[in-house]
Protein backbone atom coordinates (compact mmCIF):
# COMPACT_ATOMS: atom_id res chain seq x y z
CA UNK A 1 0.00 0.00 0.00
CA UNK A 2 1.36 3.44 -0.53
CA UNK A 3 3.46 3.31 2.58
CA UNK A 4 1.25 5.93 4.22
CA UNK A 5 -1.69 3.50 4.39
CA UNK A 6 -0.13 0.04 4.69
CA UNK A 7 -0.37 -1.35 8.22
CA UNK A 8 -2.88 1.24 9.39
CA UNK A 9 -5.64 -0.28 11.45
CA UNK A 10 -9.23 -0.58 10.28
CA UNK A 11 -10.17 1.89 13.03
CA UNK A 12 -7.68 4.47 11.72
CA UNK A 13 -8.75 3.95 8.12
CA UNK A 14 -12.38 4.21 9.17
CA UNK A 15 -11.70 7.58 10.82
CA UNK A 16 -9.96 8.86 7.69
CA UNK A 17 -12.86 7.76 5.51
CA UNK A 18 -15.32 9.44 7.87
CA UNK A 19 -13.26 12.66 7.86
CA UNK A 20 -13.10 12.50 4.02
CA UNK A 21 -9.31 12.50 4.14
CA UNK A 22 -9.46 9.78 1.53
CA UNK A 23 -12.07 7.92 -0.45
CA UNK A 24 -12.88 4.21 -0.36
CA UNK A 25 -11.65 4.02 -3.96
CA UNK A 26 -8.29 5.52 -2.95
CA UNK A 27 -8.05 3.05 -0.09
CA UNK A 28 -8.90 0.09 -2.35
CA UNK A 29 -6.29 1.32 -4.87
CA UNK A 30 -3.71 1.52 -2.11
CA UNK A 31 -4.46 -2.06 -1.00
CA UNK A 32 -4.27 -3.26 -4.61
CA UNK A 33 -0.90 -1.52 -4.95
CA UNK A 34 0.40 -3.23 -1.81
CA UNK A 35 -0.77 -6.61 -3.13
CA UNK A 36 1.02 -5.93 -6.43
CA UNK A 37 4.19 -4.89 -4.63
CA UNK A 38 4.33 -7.80 -2.18
CA UNK A 39 2.22 -10.78 -3.20
CA UNK A 40 4.80 -12.15 -5.63
CA UNK A 41 6.74 -13.06 -2.47
CA UNK A 42 3.88 -13.63 -0.01
CA UNK A 43 1.34 -15.57 -2.14
CA UNK A 44 -1.57 -14.75 0.13
CA UNK A 45 -4.17 -14.37 -2.64
CA UNK A 46 -5.67 -17.11 -4.77
CA UNK A 47 -7.70 -14.59 -6.77
CA UNK A 48 -8.53 -10.92 -6.80
CA UNK A 49 -11.38 -9.34 -8.76
CA UNK A 50 -10.13 -5.80 -9.23
CA UNK A 51 -13.15 -4.51 -11.12
CA UNK A 52 -15.52 -5.85 -8.48
CA UNK A 53 -13.42 -4.37 -5.65
CA UNK A 54 -13.40 -0.92 -7.25
CA UNK A 55 -17.14 -1.11 -7.94
CA UNK A 56 -17.80 -1.88 -4.26
CA UNK A 57 -15.54 1.01 -3.23
CA UNK A 58 -17.36 3.43 -5.55
CA UNK A 59 -20.68 2.38 -4.02
CA UNK A 60 -19.27 3.02 -0.57
CA UNK A 61 -18.12 6.49 -1.60
CA UNK A 62 -21.56 7.22 -3.04
CA UNK A 63 -23.25 6.15 0.22
CA UNK A 64 -20.92 8.31 2.25
CA UNK A 65 -21.48 11.30 -0.01
CA UNK A 66 -25.22 10.85 0.59
CA UNK A 67 -24.66 10.71 4.37
CA UNK A 68 -25.59 7.00 4.40
CA UNK A 69 -22.44 5.22 5.55
CA UNK A 70 -23.63 1.96 7.06
CA UNK A 71 -21.04 1.22 9.75
CA UNK A 72 -17.48 2.05 10.78
CA UNK A 73 -16.34 -0.58 8.29
CA UNK A 74 -18.05 1.09 5.33
CA UNK A 75 -15.37 1.31 2.62
CA UNK A 76 -12.82 -0.76 4.55
CA UNK A 77 -11.33 -3.70 2.59
CA UNK A 78 -11.74 -7.15 4.15
CA UNK A 79 -10.02 -10.25 2.70
CA UNK A 80 -11.81 -13.62 2.87
CA UNK A 81 -10.43 -17.11 3.20
CA UNK A 82 -11.38 -19.06 0.07
CA UNK A 83 -13.76 -21.27 2.05
CA UNK A 84 -16.35 -18.54 2.76
CA UNK A 85 -18.84 -18.13 -0.08
CA UNK A 86 -19.24 -14.79 -1.84
CA UNK A 87 -21.77 -14.57 -4.66
CA UNK A 88 -20.19 -14.64 -8.13
CA UNK A 89 -16.68 -15.15 -6.72
CA UNK A 90 -14.50 -18.28 -6.84
CA UNK A 91 -14.71 -20.70 -3.92
CA UNK A 92 -11.87 -23.18 -4.35
CA UNK A 93 -11.23 -24.17 -0.71
CA UNK A 94 -7.60 -24.51 -1.85
CA UNK A 95 -8.62 -27.65 -3.76
CA UNK A 96 -8.41 -28.75 -7.40
CA UNK A 97 -11.80 -30.30 -6.79
CA UNK A 98 -13.40 -26.82 -6.83
CA UNK A 99 -10.98 -25.16 -9.23
CA UNK A 100 -13.69 -23.83 -11.52
CA UNK A 101 -16.46 -23.39 -8.96
CA UNK A 102 -18.08 -19.96 -8.61
CA UNK A 103 -20.39 -19.43 -5.65
CA UNK A 104 -24.04 -18.73 -6.49
CA UNK A 105 -24.73 -17.20 -3.07
CA UNK A 106 -23.27 -15.28 -0.10
CA UNK A 107 -22.28 -16.83 3.21
CA UNK A 108 -24.16 -15.14 6.04
CA UNK A 109 -20.84 -13.75 7.34
CA UNK A 110 -20.03 -12.32 3.89
CA UNK A 111 -23.49 -10.80 3.76
CA UNK A 112 -22.90 -9.26 7.21
CA UNK A 113 -19.81 -7.55 5.86
CA UNK A 114 -21.66 -6.38 2.76
CA UNK A 115 -24.48 -5.00 4.87
CA UNK A 116 -21.86 -3.10 6.89
CA UNK A 117 -20.52 -1.61 3.64
CA UNK A 118 -17.14 -3.36 3.80
CA UNK A 119 -15.31 -3.95 0.53
CA UNK A 120 -14.89 -7.71 0.06
CA UNK A 121 -11.33 -7.92 -1.13
CA UNK A 122 -10.07 -11.11 -2.79
CA UNK A 123 -9.87 -14.79 -2.00
CA UNK A 124 -7.16 -15.89 0.39
CA UNK A 125 -5.02 -19.02 0.30
CA UNK A 126 -5.53 -21.92 2.67
CA UNK A 127 -4.74 -25.57 3.24
CA UNK A 128 -7.04 -27.73 1.11
CA UNK A 129 -10.48 -27.84 2.77
CA UNK A 130 -8.86 -26.20 5.84
CA UNK A 131 -6.87 -29.34 6.67
CA UNK A 132 -3.42 -28.32 7.78
CA UNK A 133 -1.32 -25.91 9.80
CA UNK A 134 0.96 -24.31 7.22
CA UNK A 135 -0.89 -23.68 3.87
CA UNK A 136 1.46 -26.26 2.35
CA UNK A 137 -1.60 -28.44 1.70
CA UNK A 138 -3.06 -25.85 -0.68
CA UNK A 139 -3.36 -27.31 -4.18
CA UNK A 140 -2.26 -23.98 -5.64
CA UNK A 141 0.58 -22.36 -3.69
CA UNK A 142 2.26 -22.09 -0.33
CA UNK A 143 1.89 -18.72 1.38
CA UNK A 144 5.03 -17.23 2.90
CA UNK A 145 5.36 -15.76 6.36
CA UNK A 146 5.87 -12.00 5.86
CA UNK A 147 8.43 -11.96 8.69
CA UNK A 148 10.64 -14.53 6.96
CA UNK A 149 9.55 -15.74 3.54
CA UNK A 150 11.41 -19.04 3.93
CA UNK A 151 8.91 -19.91 6.67
CA UNK A 152 5.24 -20.85 6.69
CA UNK A 153 2.56 -18.40 7.91
CA UNK A 154 0.68 -21.10 9.81
CA UNK A 155 -2.62 -22.53 8.67
CA UNK A 156 -5.06 -23.40 7.57
CA UNK A 157 -6.03 -19.68 7.24
CA UNK A 158 -2.44 -18.78 6.34
CA UNK A 159 -3.42 -16.47 3.46
CA UNK A 160 -5.80 -14.51 5.70
CA UNK A 161 -3.11 -14.00 8.35
CA UNK A 162 -0.29 -13.20 5.93
CA UNK A 163 -2.38 -10.66 3.97
CA UNK A 164 -3.00 -8.65 7.15
CA UNK A 165 0.58 -9.05 8.40
CA UNK A 166 1.91 -7.87 5.01
CA UNK A 167 -0.29 -4.75 5.07
CA UNK A 168 -2.31 -5.89 2.03
CA UNK A 169 -5.67 -5.62 3.79
CA UNK A 170 -6.36 -4.21 7.26
CA UNK A 171 -8.64 -7.11 8.31
CA UNK A 172 -9.66 -10.52 7.03
CA UNK A 173 -11.82 -13.51 7.86
CA UNK A 174 -10.64 -17.07 8.39
CA UNK A 175 -12.12 -20.24 9.77
CA UNK A 176 -10.97 -22.25 12.77
CA UNK A 177 -11.70 -25.94 13.27
CA UNK A 178 -8.68 -26.78 15.42
CA UNK A 179 -6.65 -23.57 15.55
CA UNK A 180 -6.68 -22.29 11.98
CA UNK A 181 -7.26 -18.67 13.00
CA UNK A 182 -5.27 -18.45 16.24
CA UNK A 183 -2.17 -20.37 15.14
CA UNK A 184 -1.52 -18.34 11.95
CA UNK A 185 -2.32 -15.10 13.83
CA UNK A 186 0.33 -16.06 16.36
CA UNK A 187 2.93 -16.99 13.74
CA UNK A 188 2.30 -13.79 11.74
CA UNK A 189 2.28 -11.37 14.69
CA UNK A 190 -1.36 -10.26 14.47
CA UNK A 191 -4.61 -10.71 16.41
CA UNK A 192 -6.97 -13.59 15.55
CA UNK A 193 -10.23 -14.58 17.23
CA UNK A 194 -12.05 -17.89 17.19
CA UNK A 195 -15.50 -17.10 18.54
CA UNK A 196 -17.70 -19.42 20.60
CA UNK A 197 -19.24 -22.21 18.52
CA UNK A 198 -22.63 -20.87 17.43
CA UNK A 199 -21.87 -17.13 17.63
CA UNK A 200 -21.35 -16.80 13.88
CA UNK A 201 -23.45 -18.53 11.26
CA UNK A 202 -21.69 -21.29 9.34
CA UNK A 203 -24.07 -20.89 6.40
CA UNK A 204 -21.86 -20.56 3.34
CA UNK A 205 -18.73 -21.73 5.15
CA UNK A 206 -17.71 -24.88 3.29
CA UNK A 207 -17.85 -27.63 5.90
CA UNK A 208 -14.75 -29.42 7.14
CA UNK A 209 -15.87 -30.68 10.58
CA UNK A 210 -19.26 -29.15 11.25
CA UNK A 211 -19.29 -29.53 15.04
CA UNK A 212 -15.95 -27.69 15.31
CA UNK A 213 -15.87 -25.12 12.45
CA UNK A 214 -16.25 -21.45 13.25
CA UNK A 215 -15.56 -18.27 11.23
CA UNK A 216 -13.57 -15.46 12.85
CA UNK A 217 -11.63 -12.23 12.17
CA UNK A 218 -7.95 -11.26 11.91
CA UNK A 219 -6.60 -7.73 12.44
CA UNK A 220 -3.65 -5.70 13.71
CA UNK A 221 -5.52 -4.81 16.89
CA UNK A 222 -8.14 -6.22 19.22
CA UNK A 223 -10.28 -3.20 18.36
CA UNK A 224 -10.26 -4.10 14.64
CA UNK A 225 -11.20 -7.66 15.49
CA UNK A 226 -14.04 -6.38 17.69
CA UNK A 227 -15.34 -4.11 14.91
CA UNK A 228 -15.29 -6.95 12.41
CA UNK A 229 -16.89 -9.41 14.81
CA UNK A 230 -19.74 -6.93 15.28
CA UNK A 231 -20.70 -7.21 11.61
CA UNK A 232 -20.77 -11.03 11.45
CA UNK A 233 -22.04 -12.20 14.88
CA UNK A 234 -25.61 -13.23 15.59
CA UNK A 235 -28.30 -15.80 15.11
CA UNK A 236 -29.13 -17.00 11.61
CA UNK A 237 -32.09 -19.14 10.68
CA UNK A 238 -30.01 -20.75 7.96
CA UNK A 239 -27.66 -22.36 10.51
CA UNK A 240 -29.51 -24.45 13.09
CA UNK A 241 -26.42 -24.49 15.35
CA UNK A 242 -26.22 -20.70 15.48
CA UNK A 243 -27.22 -19.47 18.89
CA UNK A 244 -29.78 -16.90 19.96
CA UNK A 245 -27.84 -14.57 22.20
CA UNK A 246 -27.67 -10.86 22.82
CA UNK A 247 -24.90 -9.26 20.73
CA UNK A 248 -23.21 -6.55 22.81
CA UNK A 249 -21.24 -3.60 21.45
CA UNK A 250 -17.86 -5.34 21.35
CA UNK A 251 -15.85 -2.21 20.58
CA UNK A 252 -17.43 -0.21 23.40
CA UNK A 253 -16.79 -3.09 25.82
CA UNK A 254 -13.03 -2.73 25.33
CA UNK A 255 -12.97 0.51 27.27
CA UNK A 256 -15.82 -0.32 29.66
CA UNK A 257 -14.51 -3.56 31.10
CA UNK A 258 -11.31 -2.97 32.98
CA UNK A 259 -10.75 -5.87 35.37
CA UNK A 260 -8.94 -6.77 37.47
CA UNK A 261 -9.66 -10.30 36.35
CA UNK A 262 -9.05 -13.71 37.84
CA UNK A 263 -6.90 -15.51 35.31
CA UNK A 264 -6.03 -19.20 35.18
CA UNK A 265 -2.81 -20.72 33.91
CA UNK A 266 -3.36 -24.38 32.93
CA UNK A 267 -0.29 -26.29 33.98
CA UNK A 268 -0.69 -28.87 31.19
CA UNK A 269 0.08 -26.14 28.63
CA UNK A 270 3.60 -25.45 29.88
CA UNK A 271 5.19 -28.90 29.61
CA UNK A 272 7.45 -30.66 27.18
CA UNK A 273 7.56 -29.45 23.58
CA UNK A 274 7.06 -25.77 24.41
CA UNK A 275 9.89 -23.73 22.86
CA UNK A 276 11.85 -21.78 25.52
CA UNK A 277 11.38 -18.41 23.78
CA UNK A 278 7.61 -18.96 23.60
CA UNK A 279 7.48 -19.94 27.26
CA UNK A 280 9.50 -16.86 28.25
CA UNK A 281 7.24 -14.42 26.37
CA UNK A 282 4.02 -15.99 27.65
CA UNK A 283 5.33 -16.01 31.21
CA UNK A 284 6.16 -12.31 30.87
CA UNK A 285 2.62 -11.63 29.71
CA UNK A 286 1.25 -13.52 32.71
CA UNK A 287 3.54 -11.49 35.00
CA UNK A 288 2.20 -8.29 33.43
CA UNK A 289 -1.40 -9.23 34.27
CA UNK A 290 -0.33 -10.05 37.83
CA UNK A 291 1.37 -6.65 38.12
CA UNK A 292 -1.93 -5.01 37.09
CA UNK A 293 -3.66 -6.55 40.07
CA UNK A 294 -5.13 -9.63 38.37
CA UNK A 295 -5.23 -12.74 40.49
CA UNK A 296 -3.29 -15.49 38.72
CA UNK A 297 -4.17 -19.07 39.62
CA UNK A 298 -2.69 -22.30 38.41
CA UNK A 299 -5.47 -24.54 37.14
CA UNK A 300 -5.56 -28.06 35.74
CA UNK A 301 -7.20 -29.31 32.54
CA UNK A 302 -6.42 -32.98 33.16
CA UNK A 303 -7.71 -34.41 29.86
CA UNK A 304 -5.51 -32.15 27.71
CA UNK A 305 -3.23 -35.01 26.70
CA UNK A 306 -6.10 -36.75 24.87
CA UNK A 307 -7.20 -33.70 22.90
CA UNK A 308 -5.09 -34.24 19.77
CA UNK A 309 -6.23 -37.88 19.45
CA UNK A 310 -9.89 -37.08 20.06
CA UNK A 311 -9.76 -34.18 17.63
CA UNK A 312 -8.23 -36.18 14.78
CA UNK A 313 -10.91 -38.84 15.19
CA UNK A 314 -13.88 -36.48 15.37
CA UNK A 315 -12.62 -34.03 12.74
CA UNK A 316 -11.74 -36.74 10.22
CA UNK A 317 -15.03 -38.60 10.85
CA UNK A 318 -17.03 -35.46 10.11
CA UNK A 319 -14.80 -34.61 7.14
CA UNK A 320 -15.27 -38.05 5.58
CA UNK A 321 -19.01 -37.46 5.66
CA UNK A 322 -18.92 -33.79 4.59
CA UNK A 323 -16.58 -34.44 1.68
CA UNK A 324 -18.71 -37.27 0.28
CA UNK A 325 -20.59 -34.64 -1.72
CA UNK A 326 -17.60 -34.03 -4.01
CA UNK A 327 -18.42 -36.86 -6.38
CA UNK A 328 -17.73 -35.38 -9.80
CA UNK A 329 -21.40 -35.42 -10.69
CA UNK A 330 -22.60 -31.95 -9.91
CA UNK A 331 -20.37 -28.95 -9.46
CA UNK A 332 -16.93 -30.42 -8.82
CA UNK A 333 -14.02 -31.58 -10.91
CA UNK A 334 -14.98 -34.47 -13.20
CA UNK A 335 -12.31 -36.80 -14.48
CA UNK A 336 -11.95 -37.02 -18.26
CA UNK A 337 -11.23 -40.73 -17.86
CA UNK A 338 -14.69 -41.55 -16.56
CA UNK A 339 -17.29 -43.55 -18.39
CA UNK A 340 -19.87 -44.81 -15.87
CA UNK A 341 -21.08 -43.41 -12.57
CA UNK A 342 -18.85 -45.44 -10.24
CA UNK A 343 -15.88 -44.62 -12.42
CA UNK A 344 -16.71 -40.94 -12.23
CA UNK A 345 -16.60 -41.06 -8.42
CA UNK A 346 -13.32 -42.95 -8.33
CA UNK A 347 -11.36 -40.98 -10.87
CA UNK A 348 -12.75 -37.58 -9.97
CA UNK A 349 -11.99 -38.01 -6.26
CA UNK A 350 -8.57 -39.50 -6.97
CA UNK A 351 -7.66 -36.54 -9.18
CA UNK A 352 -9.48 -33.79 -7.30
CA UNK A 353 -8.30 -34.35 -3.71
CA UNK A 354 -4.74 -33.91 -2.47
CA UNK A 355 -2.89 -36.40 -0.24
CA UNK A 356 -3.79 -34.86 3.14
CA UNK A 357 -7.50 -34.76 2.31
CA UNK A 358 -7.37 -38.39 1.18
CA UNK A 359 -5.54 -39.38 4.35
CA UNK A 360 -8.29 -37.82 6.44
CA UNK A 361 -11.15 -39.30 4.44
CA UNK A 362 -9.60 -42.75 4.87
CA UNK A 363 -9.01 -42.21 8.59
CA UNK A 364 -12.48 -40.76 9.13
CA UNK A 365 -14.19 -43.57 7.21
CA UNK A 366 -12.26 -46.11 9.26
CA UNK A 367 -13.18 -44.67 12.68
CA UNK A 368 -16.85 -44.63 11.67
CA UNK A 369 -16.91 -48.13 10.23
CA UNK A 370 -18.88 -50.84 11.96
CA UNK A 371 -16.77 -52.72 14.47
CA UNK A 372 -14.55 -49.68 15.06
CA UNK A 373 -17.14 -46.98 15.67
CA UNK A 374 -17.47 -47.58 19.42
CA UNK A 375 -13.75 -48.02 19.97
CA UNK A 376 -12.78 -44.80 18.19
CA UNK A 377 -15.56 -42.37 17.37
CA UNK A 378 -17.72 -43.22 20.39
CA UNK A 379 -14.80 -42.95 22.80
CA UNK A 380 -13.54 -39.74 21.24
CA UNK A 381 -16.97 -38.19 21.84
CA UNK A 382 -16.76 -39.16 25.51
CA UNK A 383 -13.29 -37.63 25.77
CA UNK A 384 -14.68 -34.50 24.16
CA UNK A 385 -17.25 -34.19 26.95
CA UNK A 386 -14.53 -34.61 29.57
CA UNK A 387 -12.41 -31.92 27.93
CA UNK A 388 -15.32 -29.49 27.92
CA UNK A 389 -16.00 -30.33 31.56
CA UNK A 390 -12.37 -29.56 32.46
CA UNK A 391 -12.80 -26.04 31.07
CA UNK A 392 -16.16 -25.46 32.73
CA UNK A 393 -14.65 -26.54 36.06
CA UNK A 394 -11.77 -24.09 35.58
CA UNK A 395 -14.22 -21.29 34.72
CA UNK A 396 -15.86 -21.72 38.11
CA UNK A 397 -12.64 -20.27 39.55
CA UNK A 398 -11.37 -17.89 36.89
CA UNK A 399 -12.66 -15.49 34.22
CA UNK A 400 -10.24 -16.54 31.49
CA UNK A 401 -7.19 -18.71 30.84
CA UNK A 402 -3.75 -17.66 29.58
CA UNK A 403 -1.72 -20.08 27.43
CA UNK A 404 0.72 -20.08 24.53
CA UNK A 405 -1.06 -20.17 21.14
CA UNK A 406 1.52 -22.28 19.33
CA UNK A 407 4.32 -24.36 20.88
CA UNK A 408 6.89 -22.85 18.48
CA UNK A 409 7.45 -19.84 16.25
CA UNK A 410 6.89 -20.21 12.48
CA UNK A 411 8.73 -23.20 11.08
CA UNK A 412 10.51 -23.50 7.73
CA UNK A 413 8.61 -24.51 4.60
CA UNK A 414 9.01 -28.25 4.13
CA UNK A 415 10.12 -28.86 7.70
CA UNK A 416 7.07 -30.89 8.74
CA UNK A 417 5.52 -31.98 5.45
CA UNK A 418 7.03 -35.47 5.60
CA UNK A 419 5.59 -36.14 9.05
CA UNK A 420 1.83 -35.54 9.38
CA UNK A 421 1.87 -36.28 13.10
CA UNK A 422 4.40 -33.54 13.76
CA UNK A 423 2.20 -31.15 11.77
CA UNK A 424 -0.84 -32.18 13.85
CA UNK A 425 1.04 -31.26 17.03
CA UNK A 426 1.27 -27.63 15.87
CA UNK A 427 -2.31 -27.29 17.17
CA UNK A 428 -1.81 -28.86 20.55
CA UNK A 429 -2.84 -25.69 22.45
CA UNK A 430 -5.67 -24.64 20.17
CA UNK A 431 -7.75 -27.72 19.38
CA UNK A 432 -9.17 -28.26 22.88
CA UNK A 433 -11.13 -25.02 22.56
CA UNK A 434 -12.87 -26.27 19.42
CA UNK A 435 -13.73 -29.54 21.14
CA UNK A 436 -15.16 -27.51 24.03
CA UNK A 437 -16.78 -24.87 21.78
CA UNK A 438 -15.03 -22.02 23.61
CA UNK A 439 -13.80 -18.66 22.33
CA UNK A 440 -10.08 -17.93 22.12
CA UNK A 441 -8.02 -15.02 20.89
CA UNK A 442 -4.33 -14.88 20.00
CA UNK A 443 -2.52 -11.58 20.61
CA UNK A 444 1.13 -10.77 19.87
CA UNK A 445 3.25 -11.04 23.03
CA UNK A 446 6.86 -11.02 21.87
CA UNK A 447 9.49 -11.97 19.35
CA UNK A 448 12.01 -14.80 19.26
CA UNK A 449 15.73 -13.97 19.09
CA UNK A 450 15.54 -14.30 15.28
CA UNK A 451 12.70 -11.78 15.17
CA UNK A 452 9.71 -14.12 14.70
CA UNK A 453 6.39 -13.29 16.37
CA UNK A 454 5.03 -15.11 19.43
CA UNK A 455 1.36 -15.22 20.43
CA UNK A 456 -0.50 -15.37 23.73
CA UNK A 457 -3.79 -17.30 23.67
CA UNK A 458 -6.56 -16.08 25.96
CA UNK A 459 -9.50 -18.44 26.44
CA UNK A 460 -12.89 -17.11 27.49
CA UNK A 461 -16.21 -18.36 28.78
CA UNK A 462 -18.85 -19.33 26.20
CA UNK A 463 -20.34 -16.23 24.50
CA UNK A 464 -18.25 -13.89 26.67
CA UNK A 465 -16.31 -12.44 23.72
CA UNK A 466 -16.78 -8.90 25.06
CA UNK A 467 -14.94 -9.82 28.27
CA UNK A 468 -12.34 -11.86 26.40
CA UNK A 469 -11.53 -9.03 24.00
CA UNK A 470 -11.34 -6.52 26.86
CA UNK A 471 -8.78 -8.72 28.62
CA UNK A 472 -6.75 -8.91 25.40
CA UNK A 473 -7.11 -5.18 24.74
CA UNK A 474 -5.80 -4.24 28.19
CA UNK A 475 -2.61 -6.17 27.45
CA UNK A 476 -2.26 -4.90 23.92
CA UNK A 477 -2.59 -1.23 24.95
CA UNK A 478 0.31 -1.55 27.37
CA UNK A 479 2.64 -3.18 24.82
CA UNK A 480 3.85 -2.35 21.34
CA UNK A 481 4.31 -5.78 19.75
CA UNK A 482 1.46 -5.17 17.33
CA UNK A 483 2.93 -1.90 16.08
CA UNK A 484 5.98 -3.66 14.63
CA UNK A 485 5.68 -4.80 11.03
CA UNK A 486 7.77 -6.97 8.76
CA UNK A 487 10.20 -5.27 6.37
CA UNK A 488 8.96 -6.36 2.96
N1 LIG B 1 -4.51 -28.00 11.75
C1 LIG B 1 -5.77 -28.52 12.14
C2 LIG B 1 -6.23 -29.52 11.11
O1 LIG B 1 -5.50 -29.74 10.22
C3 LIG B 1 -6.77 -27.41 12.29
C4 LIG B 1 -7.24 -26.90 11.00
C5 LIG B 1 -8.35 -25.88 11.16
O2 LIG B 1 -8.56 -25.31 12.22
N2 LIG B 1 -9.11 -25.73 10.10
O3 LIG B 1 -7.27 -30.08 11.18
Amino acid sequence: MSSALAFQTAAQLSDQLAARQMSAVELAQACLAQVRATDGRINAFLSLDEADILAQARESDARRAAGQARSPLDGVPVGLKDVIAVRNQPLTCGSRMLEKFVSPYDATAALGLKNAGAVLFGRLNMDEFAMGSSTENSAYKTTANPWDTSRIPGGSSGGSAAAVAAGQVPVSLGSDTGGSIRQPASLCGIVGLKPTYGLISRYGLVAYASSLDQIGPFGHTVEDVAMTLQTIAGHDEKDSTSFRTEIPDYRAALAQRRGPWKLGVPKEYFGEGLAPEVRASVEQAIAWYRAQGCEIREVSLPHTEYAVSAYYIIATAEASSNLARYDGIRYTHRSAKSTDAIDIYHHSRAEGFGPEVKRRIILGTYVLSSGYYDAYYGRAQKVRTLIRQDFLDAFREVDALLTPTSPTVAFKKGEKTANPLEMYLADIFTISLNLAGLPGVSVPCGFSPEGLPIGLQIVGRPFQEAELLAIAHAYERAHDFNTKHPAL
Side-chain angles (χ1 to χ4, degrees):
M1 218 179 297
S2 66
S3 42
L5 294 181
F7 304 112
Q8 291 210 23
T9 67
Q12 289 166 335
L13 296 168
S14 167
D15 288 348
Q16 289 166 57
L17 289 167
R20 312 286 174 95
Q21 285 159 359
M22 70 179 163
S23 67
V25 168
E26 283 164 344
L27 176 54
Q29 296 278 21
C31 288
L32 288 168
Q34 179 75 352
V35 173
R36 264 180 241 119
T38 59
D39 214 44
R41 283 163 287 148
I42 303 300
N43 283 314
F45 284 88
L46 286 174
S47 60
L48 200 62
D49 184 341
E50 214 170 304
D52 175 64
I53 289 168
L54 293 173
Q56 292 179 69
R58 277 193 296 274
E59 282 171 30
S60 170
D61 284 333
R63 278 194 298 274
R64 203 173 287 281
Q68 287 165 355
R70 291 178 184 161
S71 86
L73 282 191
D74 205 322
V76 174
V78 182
L80 270 71
K81 185 179 184 179
D82 207 7
V83 70
I84 302 170
V86 174
R87 193 174 138 82
N88 295 335
Q89 292 297 321
L91 181 63
T92 70
C93 302
S95 181
R96 291 280 168 217
M97 191 57 109
L98 292 169
E99 188 162 8
K100 299 198 175 74
F101 185 70
V102 172
S103 176
Y105 68 92
D106 280 322
T108 300
L111 201 59
L113 288 169
K114 285 185 176 177
N115 290 339
V119 173
L120 273 53
F121 193 102
R123 313 292 305 160
L124 292 161
N125 194 29
M126 55 183 284
D127 287 297
E128 184 173 5
F129 286 105
M131 298 174 185
S133 307
S134 69
T135 79
E136 291 166 297
N137 296 336
S138 166
Y140 301 99
K141 45 168 90 164
T142 296
T143 301
N145 190 309
W147 293 89
D148 174 351
T149 52
S150 71
R151 293 175 190 263
I152 56 87
S156 62
S157 315
S160 301
V164 171
Q168 298 172 335
V169 281
V171 282
S172 63
L173 295 187
S175 67
D176 190 313
T177 304
S180 283
I181 293 174
R182 292 157 287 154
Q183 184 255 15
S186 169
L187 303 193
C188 288
I190 60 170
V191 182
L193 170 74
K194 185 208 87 84
T196 310
Y197 185 80
L199 183 67
I200 296 173
S201 170
R202 290 182 297 107
Y203 180 75
L205 168 66
V206 176
Y208 160 16
S210 311
S211 76
L212 302 161
D213 299 340
Q214 194 60 192
I215 293 174
F218 290 94
H220 290 293
T221 61
V222 174
E223 183 180 31
D224 283 5
V225 161
M227 284 165 65
T228 310
L229 179 66
Q230 200 76 47
T231 67
I232 58 175
H235 176 71
D236 177 17
E237 275 173 9
K238 297 196 182 92
D239 172 4
S240 59
T241 61
S242 85
F243 199 68
R244 274 181 210 282
T245 178
E246 190 86 6
I247 303 300
D249 183 334
Y250 294 112
R251 194 182 187 186
L254 301 181
Q256 286 156 6
R257 302 181 186 224
R258 293 171 166 272
W261 295 281
K262 274 193 205 161
L263 303 173
V265 177
K267 62 175 185 222
E268 291 81 2
Y269 283 58
F270 291 82
E272 213 187 310
L274 178 61
E277 66 268 24
V278 176
R279 175 194 295 273
S281 291
V282 172
E283 282 176 351
Q284 270 173 32
I286 295 168
W288 180 85
Y289 279 107
R290 187 183 283 117
Q292 304 313 301
C294 294
E295 186 185 324
I296 306 290
R297 279 207 202 165
E298 186 180 273
V299 297
S300 176
L301 302 170
H303 297 93
T304 300
E305 62 174 306
Y306 306 110
V308 173
S309 320
Y311 171 85
Y312 278 97
I313 291 172
I314 293 169
T316 57
E318 293 184 18
S320 73
S321 161
N322 276 326
L323 272 59
R325 73 191 68 175
Y326 305 110
D327 55 9
I329 302 292
R330 290 181 56 163
Y331 44 78
T332 55
H333 165 78
R334 179 180 298 182
S335 172
K337 292 191 225 147
S338 316
T339 48
D340 61 39
I342 298 296
D343 238 32
I344 291 179
Y345 300 158
H346 285 168
H347 290 305
S348 304
R349 287 168 72 82
E351 291 166 13
F353 289 138
E356 183 61 28
V357 173
K358 286 179 186 157
R359 182 178 298 122
R360 298 200 186 195
I361 292 174
I362 292 168
L363 189 59
T365 305
Y366 176 75
V367 300
L368 289 175
S369 60
S370 89
Y372 296 101
Y373 182 99
D374 290 336
Y376 293 109
Y377 186 72
R379 283 181 88 185
Q381 290 292 12
K382 288 178 188 157
V383 171
R384 179 177 191 170
T385 304
L386 294 172
I387 288 171
R388 180 170 165 86
Q389 202 50 52
D390 281 355
F391 280 102
L392 298 181
D393 288 346
F395 283 126
R396 273 205 283 271
E397 284 184 54
V398 297
D399 303 310
L401 303 172
L402 304 176
T403 82
T405 306
S406 163
T408 64
V409 294
F411 44 93
K412 294 264 189 197
K413 290 177 186 166
E415 197 179 312
K416 297 188 200 273
T417 38
N419 185 344
L421 195 58
E422 223 183 279
M423 189 73 90
Y424 296 172
L425 292 174
D427 306 306
I428 190 153
F429 301 139
T430 47
I431 57 181
S432 294
L433 275 67
N434 301 74
L435 291 169
L438 299 171
V441 63
S442 182
V443 284
C445 73
F447 289 92
S448 69
E450 68 263 65
L452 297 167
I454 297 171
L456 167 73
Q457 175 172 250
I458 314 176
V459 188
R461 293 194 171 104
F463 298 108
Q464 299 304 311
E465 276 77 2
E467 191 79 17
L468 175 64
L469 292 173
I471 296 170
H473 178 71
Y475 175 81
E476 180 185 84
R477 245 187 353 186
H479 296 84
D480 63 356
F481 302 118
N482 69 325
T483 62
K484 301 204 165 64
H485 304 299
L488 287 164

